[in-house]
Amino acid sequence: MLLGCTLSMMLCAPPANCDDDLRSLELYNGEGTEVVSGTRSPRPASQTAENITVVTSQDIDAINAHTLADVLSYVTGVQLEMTRTPGTPVNFEVQGSNFNHVLVLLDGVPINNLADNFPDVSSIPVQLIERVEFVKGAASSSWGNALGGGINVITKSPDPERAVGGMVSASYGERETFDARAELSGTINRFGYYLTGGKLRSDGLLSNNMSDKNNFYGKLQYDLPARGSLNMTTAVMDGESGMFGAGVNRANIDSTLVVSTIATQYQLMDHLRVEAALVTTESSAKLLRQGLVAPGTVGTMAFETEESRLGGNIQLSWLDDLQRITAGIDYEHVSAHMVNGIALVDLLNRRADRVGLYLSDTLTLGRFALTPSARFDSTGSAGDHFSPSFGVTYALTENSVLRGYTARGYSLTSLNRSASTEKVWTSQLGFETGDIPGLWLKGTLFRNDTWDIISGSTRAITYERHVKQGAEVEAKTIPVYRTSLTTGYTYIRGTHGDSGPHLNGVPKHTVQVGLRYQDYSAFQAHLNGRFIDWDNPGTGKYGAIIWDLHLRKTVEFSETSLEIFASVRNLFNGDQYLDAVYRNPGRWVELGVRCNF
């Protein structure tokens, strides 16, 4: 009721008090803006049948985020199972799909580990992010191993306007929580560069939840004499963190991830483009866990893993006003080795060659756009998989669209078992409009039918079928009295099969609310609230709304700017967590300063 009244008041306010002359909000990637590429087939939002959300670097700056994990909290349809000290691992869900069903990519390169398909989103610093594209629902026709969706992190490019520019930033919060960052960017003739590095550490906002992370990212770009470019990138993210601690039960992890690419793109003809890349990924982790192994007896478990990916891809794209055709091949050789650090026994030692062939088309017929896609994957460890999808959009007006999408997908939840593939059939219906004066509105109905879900212990594995269906609604207003409102709501109903027993622990209701104020003196204030009804009778607590307040003031000089920012997280000291082992921190405050030059 309060949200509805607030929205009504804002929309009914006199037009003379609006901060701009816009009567409506355009679709993301509207006329003259960049296309969405999260489906590997670049297309404008009006022709995108999938349910996609885009978060930009400006959105990320507004919430004073530290890592990609912080960004997930603000995306409709995404739920974090634990939100704790910055830099520590988190689990998350997309429309109820488990974390190991979602493929996380850094410029199209997967960062999910091979042992159990876990993506460590807390390892990706936000400073390198230009934007993030969230594809919700099966994305296997584009990316292969993406049953529950794909999250593609698109990194920043060299500044084309000047030879040298950059930024330095530092923030400090409770429990010695410290985040320092720097970046340099520029272009000299045909050569461009972007370099960034930082350190994130904390004594831990919760017991045994410390973090000490370092990161570096570099991108070198060279414009070829004709119509093409050559890029080289390297990302290094390493450090340690405490995963949890309660009594004698403790766990710590020390990990390293290195991703390197050499990529090129070349415009062969006016409408024909070729892209190719070589990719290598190296990762290692050491997990130390202590806990009760018998009544009154405390034991220690240690696991060490080393994983690698070596491969590449080549893609051809034909882009014109009638058709957008994309075809490509992915190849990677993967290996994973896990040992018990105490008994020195191999727990996993496997290699596999993976090949994926994909084809996607966007055919424009008047107001309709048809998007058939298909992909064939030979996994080398868990069989072959065919993943078709079909989407259709209909443009009601220049700024309103109807969507339909259906797709089959899969995820490899472990390289340790050949029978580790879980499968899904996703169906979606949606609409998006910016034609309502002062309001942008988006809604999606979805149904995810997932089968071959592995359940039970290693000695008694069973395979289940889960159906999760529901709806998403998002809304955003134009500024009124320099204040705008954003809201998001997700409903999910989970059952065993079509009409079987209720699934506990599936987030039934998720609400996100944001208020943004910006005045003419470059002062900004953001108040964001989120609530998740985990629908779980276990040890969790989720009766409170978690509110975060972010403040920022910018002072402009001749060629530099200085930003002073502050955040109060969990403003009212509420509790919201799925399990008591992963309880959320209470209220905490941080202050920071950022200089752009």
Side-chain angles (χ1 to χ4, degrees), residues 11 38 80 84 109 123 164 208 241-242 275 285 303 310-311 373 419 448 460 535 580:
L11 295 179
L80 264 67
R84 302 177 296 156
V109 180
S123 68
V164 180
N208 199 57
S241 61
E275 300 170 69
F303 305 96
L310 176 62
S373 301
N448 298 319
D535 194 24

Side-chain angles (χ1 to χ4, degrees), residues 275-480:
E275 300 170 69
L278 296 175
V279 178
T280 177
T281 301
E282 300 284 341
S283 64
S284 63
K286 296 181 180 179
L287 174 64
L288 181 66
R289 181 168 182 172
Q290 295 177 319
L292 290 173
V293 295
T297 303
V298 177
T300 299
M301 294 181 290
F303 305 96
E304 299 182 13
T305 63
E306 291 185 357
E307 300 183 352
S308 67
R309 301 173 187 258
L310 176 62
N313 63 75
I314 185 168
Q315 176 176 296
L316 283 171
S317 300
W318 175 274
L319 309 175
D320 62 21
D321 294 336
L322 177 63
Q323 281 191 304
R324 293 173 174 264
I325 304 174
T326 300
I329 179 171
D330 295 330
Y331 166 79
E332 62 177 3
H333 174 77
V334 302
S335 65
H337 185 205
M338 177 186 291
V339 299
N340 184 321
I342 303 297
L344 300 179
V345 176
D346 282 355
L347 301 175
L348 170 63
N349 193 2
R350 299 195 67 173
R351 290 177 170 83
D353 290 293
R354 296 176 174 176
V355 180
L357 303 171
Y358 59 92
L359 175 64
S360 176
D361 186 16
T362 301
L363 177 62
T364 304
L365 301 172
R367 292 178 178 268
F368 285 95
L370 309 179
T371 55
S373 301
R375 180 180 173 112
F376 174 80
D377 284 286
S378 176
T379 67
S381 62
D384 300 336
H385 301 282
F386 179 65
S387 305
S389 69
F390 181 77
V392 59
T393 64
Y394 178 75
L396 294 170
T397 68
E398 291 184 357
N399 211 25
S400 294
V401 63
L402 297 177
R403 295 188 172 98
Y405 177 71
T406 185
R408 179 181 169 123
Y410 75 94
S411 279
L412 307 176
T413 56
S414 175
L415 190 63
N416 200 26
R417 298 185 303 269
S418 58
S420 65
T421 308
E422 301 180 357
K423 308 175 187 70
V424 73
W425 196 277
T426 288
S427 300
Q428 299 175 350
L429 289 174
F431 73 94
E432 186 175 354
T433 181
D435 283 330
I436 303 172
L439 180 67
W440 168 84
L441 187 64
K442 177 183 177 182
T444 304
L445 299 174
F446 61 87
R447 186 179 192 272
N448 298 319
D449 188 344
T450 310
W451 67 95
D452 287 349
I453 298 173
I454 299 170
S455 180
S457 65
T458 56
R459 294 181 179 179
I461 292 178
T462 60
Y463 296 90
E464 300 180 353
R465 174 174 169 243
H466 295 171
V467 175
K468 297 170 184 175
Q469 50 193 332
E472 286 182 15
V473 180
E474 302 175 71
K476 177 169 59 177
T477 72
I478 65 171
V480 177

Side-chain angles (χ1 to χ4, degrees), residues 146-196:
L147 178 156
I151 300 175
N152 191 21
V153 176
I154 299 170
T155 58
K156 293 179 179 178
S157 296
D159 187 338
E161 303 297 329
R162 50 185 177 170
V164 180
M167 180 279 307
V168 291
S169 173
S171 65
Y172 182 82
E174 297 182 30
R175 296 288 298 166
E176 303 292 328
T177 301
F178 178 73
D179 190 353
R181 315 172 191 169
E183 68 178 6
L184 284 175
S185 182
T187 300
I188 303 173
N189 297 324
R190 294 181 179 275
F191 174 76
Y193 64 93
Y194 174 78
L195 305 171
T196 184

Side-chain angles (χ1 to χ4, degrees), residues 187-224:
T187 300
I188 303 173
N189 297 324
R190 294 181 179 275
F191 174 76
Y193 64 93
Y194 174 78
L195 305 171
T196 184
K199 184 178 185 66
L200 174 62
R201 71 164 307 278
S202 175
D203 288 344
L205 300 174
L206 296 167
S207 176
N208 199 57
N209 195 215
M210 55 74 63
S211 67
D212 191 354
K213 299 289 187 71
N214 304 295
N215 64 81
F216 168 80
Y217 178 79
K219 177 184 289 186
L220 303 179
Q221 179 175 299
Y222 180 75
D223 290 335
L224 299 174

